[in-house]
Amino acid sequence: MGSYQVYIHVPFCMRRCGYCDFNTYTARDLGGGASREHYADLAIQEMRMVRDWQTSRGLIEPPVSTIFFGGGTPTILPAQDLVRMVEAVADLWGLSPGAEITTEANPDTVDRAYLAQLLRGGINRVSFGMQSAVPSVLATLDRTHTPANVTTDVAAAKDLGLRASVDLIYGTPGERLEDWRTSLQAALDLGVDHVSAYALTLEPTTKMGRAVRRGQLPAPDDDDEATKYEMADDMLSQAGLYWYEISNWARPGQESRHNLGYWHNVDWAGIGPGAHSHYRALEGQGPGMTPVEEARESEPIPSVSPGFRATGTTAQEADSKARWWLSPEPSLGERRARAIRSWDIAHPRDWAAAMDAGHVPWQDAELLGWRQDLEETVMLALRLPEGLGLDRLTRQAGRPADPKILKDLVDQGLLLPVGDRIQVTRRGRLLNDLVIDQVLEAVGIR
């Protein structure tokens, strides 16, 4: 039996940063009981409903190996609320020995006393949203914390015995190469064992996206971001933090087990507005499961229609829109599927209304057949140093990969053949989407 994880989305923030396109809200109370004060109770209610749904499907999961609080700003809630949610996970599913329990943290929202409460409640890892160590870059990003806040918080976390990580963003408009070097060195000077570094991506609907469209800020530049990625890889590797996923570096043994679970395609439950869930545990259950050779010839398994609308949901509407996942028995499609992927209703008020109506608050879900399963296998494996086994690729695709396409990728310096595996080079990391598309083409998927 594989690993099982729980992700808990906390959709509240003190303010929305100009680049942020996440599902977050600054109001304390969004109506319908969806407020910061009641959020932990609602999240625990969803956990119970999800556990009941799993039982109805015969999904037997092992004890939870990791919990991750993301947002939003989880640490905008009282520490005890996060602890109560951890306790609920333990009560419903159990926790495996040495479970990794992480929360993201805005440096403005925590202090030593808060961190100590987290540790006493079982949370053992904190990921701080550092983003940059340069005040002008933080200002462009609309971040309110100072570099000194990060230094103080990380020192307190380490002193208490918490594992500490920092998140960085590169490619902010106006950020110079020297600014980025300063941020990387500052992260290393903190003595953390894990660093995540993400290229800034802008959606046109964000405050920063609109400023770029009006010409008030320069757009992120692909070449600049590639140079900064290489600088990060060089500096972090030289300091003993090695890449274990395209955007993540860690000292050996300090990798985020929760992150790795996503890339290894384990099962996880997503709790909270907009959170996604993924279940492969249904594989092999039920007599209708179709082997890959037959599945290639079958009709594709379609996405289901939305169970609930994002706005205007009432209890009566929720009842009328109930879909297959609310049925007490698995459908034929579920028995044929390789996995289920679902996502919660995005707005907290409507999410809460669906639960009040007695329903698992999924906005929509899809059953993944062999093709989607193969696409996920390739995409996820080629983000990791170990890469993708060719035997596994052949087995899932039902045919061997075209050797000419793979050779072209090797000749371009994008892939490295290692035994019976293919691994991405650093150039392949920078052009990862291209590599994935080409590998899928090599097995006839594109």
Side-chain angles (χ1 to χ4, degrees):
M1 186 176 291
S3 297
Y4 177 56
Q5 305 183 159
V6 175
Y7 170 78
I8 302 171
H9 185 71
V10 178
F12 300 103
C13 280
M14 293 186 298
R15 60 179 291 178
R16 178 179 285 275
C17 299
Y19 62 90
C20 180
D21 190 45
F22 295 162
N23 185 38
T24 63
Y25 305 85
T26 56
R28 293 187 65 91
D29 192 330
L30 295 162
S35 66
R36 293 185 199 174
E37 287 70 23
H38 297 124
Y39 187 75
D41 293 328
L42 289 169
I44 292 168
Q45 180 181 352
E46 182 180 4
M47 291 179 202
R48 293 184 181 123
M49 299 179 86
V50 167
R51 185 69 180 87
D52 288 344
W53 177 85
Q54 291 173 343
T55 299
S56 77
R57 264 39 185 189
L59 294 178
I60 302 172
E61 299 287 2
V64 171
S65 59
T66 72
I67 302 171
F68 194 100
F69 291 93
T73 305
T75 50
I76 204 171
L77 299 181
Q80 191 54 38
D81 281 1
L82 302 186
V83 171
R84 284 202 296 125
M85 288 185 270
V86 170
E87 292 171 346
V89 170
D91 289 343
L92 289 164
W93 289 287
L95 290 176
S96 63
E100 176 191 273
I101 306 176
T102 304
T103 184
E104 293 179 342
N106 180 326
D108 281 343
T109 60
V110 300
D111 56 20
R112 185 183 181 89
Y114 187 102
L115 294 170
Q117 279 187 274
L118 296 181
L119 183 62
R120 286 194 297 272
I123 295 169
N124 50 32
R125 187 174 180 274
V126 181
S127 180
F128 292 97
M130 177 179 175
Q131 318 310 0
S132 175
V134 178
S136 62
V137 176
L138 290 172
T140 301
L141 292 171
D142 282 336
R143 301 292 293 188
T144 59
H145 71 267
T146 67
N149 293 147
V150 178
T151 301
T152 299
D153 291 342
V154 170
K158 291 174 61 183
D159 185 57
L160 288 165
L162 287 158
R163 293 170 59 196
S165 173
V166 294
D167 287 358
L168 297 173
I169 290 176
Y170 58 91
T172 301
E175 180 188 58
R176 303 168 303 163
L177 282 175
E178 195 54 41
D179 293 333
W180 178 233
R181 187 187 305 277
T182 296
S183 294
L184 287 166
Q185 189 57 55
L188 291 171
D189 290 344
L190 292 171
V192 295
D193 295 323
H194 186 284
V195 174
S196 300
Y198 303 103
L200 179 67
T201 56
L202 288 182
E203 297 298 329
T205 55
T206 62
K207 176 183 173 184
M208 187 178 288
R210 293 192 297 270
V212 167
R213 191 172 66 248
R214 291 193 297 262
Q216 296 170 319
L217 288 173
D221 178 81
D222 289 344
D223 290 338
D224 173 71
E225 290 187 340
T227 299
K228 289 172 177 173
Y229 181 89
E230 291 174 334
M231 180 185 291
D233 195 42
D234 287 340
M235 290 181 65
L236 294 171
S237 297
Q238 289 165 12
L241 283 75
Y242 302 102
W243 82 279
Y244 71 93
E245 188 278 327
I246 285 180
S247 299
N248 291 278
W249 291 258
R251 300 189 194 282
Q254 296 300 313
E255 300 85 356
S256 166
R257 286 157 46 198
H258 190 88
N259 282 350
L260 281 174
Y262 290 143
W263 307 122
H264 287 139
N265 217 13
V266 305
D267 282 13
W268 75 85
I271 303 298
H276 286 227
S277 300
H278 179 271
Y279 299 102
R280 296 179 64 90
L282 53 82
E283 288 187 11
Q285 294 182 14
M289 183 63 68
T290 308
V292 67
E293 293 81 9
E294 295 178 29
R296 286 187 70 108
E297 305 303 323
S298 302
E299 288 296 318
I301 300 170
S303 291
V304 295
S305 300
F308 305 102
R309 296 299 175 191
T311 58
T313 301
T314 65
Q316 184 176 10
E317 289 172 337
D319 283 328
S320 70
K321 292 181 170 66
R323 299 298 179 185
W324 59 270
W325 58 80
L326 301 179
S327 164
E329 295 294 332
S331 66
L332 176 61
E334 285 179 79
R335 295 184 185 279
R336 284 183 47 219
R338 301 288 293 169
I340 296 174
R341 180 165 54 211
S342 67
W343 47 99
D344 276 25
I345 298 166
H347 197 284
R349 180 184 61 247
D350 300 330
W351 169 78
M355 289 192 289
D356 284 346
H359 299 314
V360 178
W362 289 358
Q363 169 67 33
D364 203 348
E366 60 182 345
L367 301 170
L368 306 182
W370 76 268
R371 181 188 180 105
Q372 298 101 320
D373 188 54
L374 175 60
E375 289 173 340
E376 285 197 346
T377 293
V378 172
M379 182 270 289
L380 297 171
L382 292 178
R383 294 184 67 91
L384 301 173
E386 57 262 36
L388 177 62
L390 292 176
D391 285 348
R392 180 184 181 189
L393 180 62
T394 298
R395 185 171 62 253
Q396 285 193 233
R399 54 167 285 184
D402 184 334
K404 182 180 183 304
I405 293 177
L406 297 185
K407 183 178 184 301
D408 286 345
L409 290 169
V410 172
D411 291 345
Q412 294 172 55
L414 299 171
L415 277 184
L416 182 68
V418 179
D420 66 346
R421 307 186 71 80
I422 50 175
Q423 301 171 349
V424 289
T425 62
R426 184 157 81 173
R427 185 164 184 261
R429 284 184 259 161
L430 291 168
L431 298 171
N432 200 245
D433 289 345
L434 171 65
V435 175
I436 291 166
D437 284 343
Q438 289 292 298
V439 171
L440 288 170
E441 183 178 333
V443 290
I445 305 297
R446 278 295 183 267

